Amino acid sequence: MKHFSLLAALAALAACGGRPPSGMVAVHDGWARETTAGVIVSAGYGRIENGTGQDVRMTGADTPVAGRVEIHNVTDDDGVMRMRPLPEGIDIPAGETVELRPGSYHLMLLDLNRPLRGGERIPVTFRFGTGAPVTASFEVRNAAQAAQGGGQ
Amino acid sequence: MTGPVRRGLKRGLLVSAALIAAGGIGWAVYRPEAPVDPAASYAAAVGGPFTLTDVNGRPFGNDQLRGKPFAIFFGFTRCPDVCPTTLSRMAQLRARLGSDADTLNIVFVSVDPESDTPAQIGRYLTLFDTPIIGLTGTPAQIAATARAYAVYYQRVPLEGGGYTMDHTATVFLMGRAGEFVTTLDAHESEGPSLDKLRRLVRG
């Protein structure tokens, strides 16, 4: 019996990707693209884990390095890529994780007030309607790192 | 028009319609299975002459690409997701070509000539650690080049006051004489893409 409960606990851990349910919303593996002078947009990615027992909606984000941040999605319409803002945000059901990744959901960092250099870290604060905001430290990745880690 | 003539005409039309329908059915039934190769439909249509401007502001024509195969992609520098993803992937694929890397040109054509000055494209392309030929031009030159490559693009205003560009994000692989060879599929894994590039540079 003792073994069974241990197995059940291990299975539960495995189902959560090795993490016990956090009881809160967490942002994992956040990263943004490197830019250079004159390039005033970047994109931000990461996984948003809803460890709470309730559905939440990510309604927006901020970072001190960008004038504004929008939530965007990309659709592939038979080879034509269309990027559109999601002003209503992204729903994250209870217990689930939504991934922001290239070619899909992402944060659009607009009107950057300085170039983002590969290797530095920037704070990004996610807003969840009236819920508590979550601040994550995003790693700025250069093109080669982006292609290997966060590309396809 | 008299009755019999009208009837005759009507019958003739009906027979013609029946023949056309039967022919259509026959064509549909007996048509041999077409190979499912989306790239094949491009073959006749993609490529051709163009005149654009390079990142130094000098004229750049398709003739300057002759002698080396090239991968050509259309995008814009305010594109934070699809374009850098594609260009990073091209840089990585080229690096994987090893000693063949220098036998391939990578070409980036802006579909946003109003914002993408030669200097802006030059700065943008420094983000990718591989040489990329960046091109822009007048709206008419861009339109003509996009037409030659069957590339769709459209400026889309956004509510916040900005804009984005919808655009074909296909990478076209072209041979030494500028002829269409195949496309890279953004969704395929590295192996198949690399095989296509190897065939392109060695072919």
Side-chain angles (χ1 to χ4, degrees), chain B residues 33 36 39 46 54 101 105 164 169 176 195:
Chain B
E33 276 287 294
V36 185
V46 170
D54 71 13
N105 274 322
T164 184
R176 283 177 179 74
D195 287 345

Side-chain angles (χ1 to χ4, degrees), chain B residues 26-95:
Chain B
W27 181 79
V29 169
Y30 294 113
R31 185 170 171 237
E33 276 287 294
V36 185
D37 179 8
S41 60
Y42 286 120
V46 170
F50 62 77
T51 306
L52 294 167
T53 303
D54 71 13
V55 296
N56 298 310
R58 286 191 285 262
F60 190 101
N62 58 296
D63 283 346
Q64 284 163 266
L65 292 170
R66 276 182 185 273
K68 262 192 193 184
F70 60 97
I72 186 168
F73 170 74
F74 292 70
F76 63 115
T77 71
R78 285 173 186 239
C79 162
D81 183 67
V82 173
C83 305
T85 300
T86 306
L87 293 172
S88 303
R89 189 162 173 262
M90 289 308 303
Q92 195 179 28
L93 285 167
R94 177 194 256 162

Side-chain angles (χ1 to χ4, degrees), chain A residues 34 56 138:
Chain A
E34 184 179 47
V56 298
F138 271 39

Side-chain angles (χ1 to χ4, degrees), chain B residues 42 45-50 52 62 65 70-74 107 109 142-152 168 170-175 177-180 183:
Chain B
Y42 286 120
V46 170
F50 62 77
L52 294 167
N62 58 296
L65 292 170
F70 60 97
I72 186 168
F73 170 74
F74 292 70
V107 183
V109 182
I142 296 294
T145 309
R147 209 161 37 240
Y149 281 83
V151 161
Y152 168 87
T168 302
T170 306
V171 176
F172 300 99
L173 300 185
M174 313 297 289
E179 78 283 11
F180 173 84
T183 60

Side-chain angles (χ1 to χ4, degrees), chain A residues 48-119:
Chain A
I48 310 168
E49 179 190 9
N50 179 4
T52 72
Q54 292 181 332
D55 298 350
V56 298
R57 177 178 286 182
M58 195 260 282
T59 50
D62 295 295
T63 173
V65 298
R68 62 199 167 96
V69 177
E70 292 180 359
I71 307 166
H72 281 207
N73 191 23
V74 173
T75 54
D76 180 349
D77 183 3
D78 204 16
V80 176
M81 297 296 187
R82 301 177 196 273
M83 189 176 76
R84 292 289 181 276
L86 298 173
E88 306 294 316
I90 302 173
D91 285 324
I92 309 168
E96 293 196 10
T97 298
V98 167
E99 192 178 6
L100 312 185
R101 59 184 166 82
S104 178
Y105 292 136
H106 60 272
L107 296 181
M108 178 102 166
L109 314 183
L110 292 147
D111 301 331
L112 294 175
N113 47 40
R114 63 173 179 83
L116 306 183
R117 297 292 179 207

